[in-house]
Amino acid sequence: ARKLQLSDNKGFSLRKAFNPKIAGFRCDSLHVESLLNINAIEKIIVKLGILTLDTVSITVGKIPIGAEKDAVITDYNFDGFCEFVVPDKNSAARGGMDYYYFLFDTISMHFVEIESLPKFIGNFKLDVKNQRVKIYCPDEACFAYYKYENKSFKLVQGEFKP
């Protein structure tokens, strides 16, 4: 597979590649694959068709094999760029599971893992109208809204109880 450079000879850039409005595709056109290290994912590879857009190194043992198959690719910080969330179904317990969040950093032009959203949650939904993420507590008896501001998600409404 071809690794996409910041800009190839056709003027295609990563900035455009991750911005579906400019590039003319939907975030769900992207997909992720993994490189393995015995029992866990070592790297997540983000692709558009056969083009490799980015390779994200993962702390070995952090995300189990197969979790990347359930990745949700969408613009969840509402900046116009595609991001992805990897749910770990192997961690499911007490009505929740671990989620790993990756944002596209427009400065470095790479995906980076963020930890400003709760890791062990029941579920999440996007509140597009108000540009925020609704995070459900593991038993879904409560929820909280988080908004992306200054390179981090901040709690703006509700209370999250892990």
Side-chain angles (χ1 to χ4, degrees):
R2 184 176 141 208
K3 171 78 173 163
L4 191 66
Q5 299 303 311
L6 286 179
S7 182
D8 68 13
N9 60 2
K10 296 178 182 142
F12 190 77
S13 71
L14 280 175
R15 186 174 297 279
K16 289 179 185 176
F18 289 105
N19 188 321
K21 293 176 186 168
I22 294 172
F25 69 90
R26 295 174 14 163
C27 285
D28 60 8
S29 299
L30 297 175
H31 67 280
V32 296
E33 297 176 359
S34 63
L35 291 176
L36 308 176
N37 181 349
I38 304 176
N39 295 327
I41 296 172
E42 183 176 329
K43 296 178 188 267
I44 292 179
I45 304 162
V46 182
K47 291 187 163 192
L48 177 61
I50 61 168
L51 294 175
T52 297
L53 300 177
D54 198 13
T55 302
V56 183
S57 293
I58 306 296
T59 303
V60 175
K62 186 172 192 172
I63 302 175
I65 295 171
E68 79 285 356
K69 293 179 176 123
D70 296 314
V72 178
I73 303 171
T74 190
D75 177 12
Y76 66 91
N77 68 346
F78 305 99
D79 64 352
F81 294 88
C82 299
E83 289 92 25
F84 66 97
V85 179
V86 178
D88 174 8
K89 291 182 178 176
N90 290 344
S91 68
R94 301 180 336 272
M97 68 179 93
D98 289 341
Y99 284 75
Y100 301 93
Y101 310 92
F102 298 86
L103 293 179
F104 182 70
D105 179 19
T106 58
I107 306 294
S108 69
M109 304 303 287
H110 292 283
F111 283 99
V112 293
E113 184 175 7
I114 59 131
E115 296 180 349
S116 56
L117 287 172
K119 180 180 174 185
F120 188 76
I121 68 172
N123 200 355
F124 75 94
K125 291 187 180 173
L126 299 181
D127 177 359
V128 177
K129 180 181 176 187
N130 297 303
Q131 296 192 336
R132 55 192 189 171
V133 179
K134 184 177 186 179
I135 303 284
Y136 291 90
C137 299
D139 60 6
E140 295 198 9
C142 65
F143 60 86
Y145 288 98
Y146 290 81
K147 192 164 184 118
Y148 190 73
E149 300 170 346
N150 301 319
K151 299 197 176 267
S152 180
F153 280 93
K154 310 282 191 245
L155 176 66
V156 294
Q157 183 182 350
E159 182 179 9
F160 184 81
K161 299 175 188 172

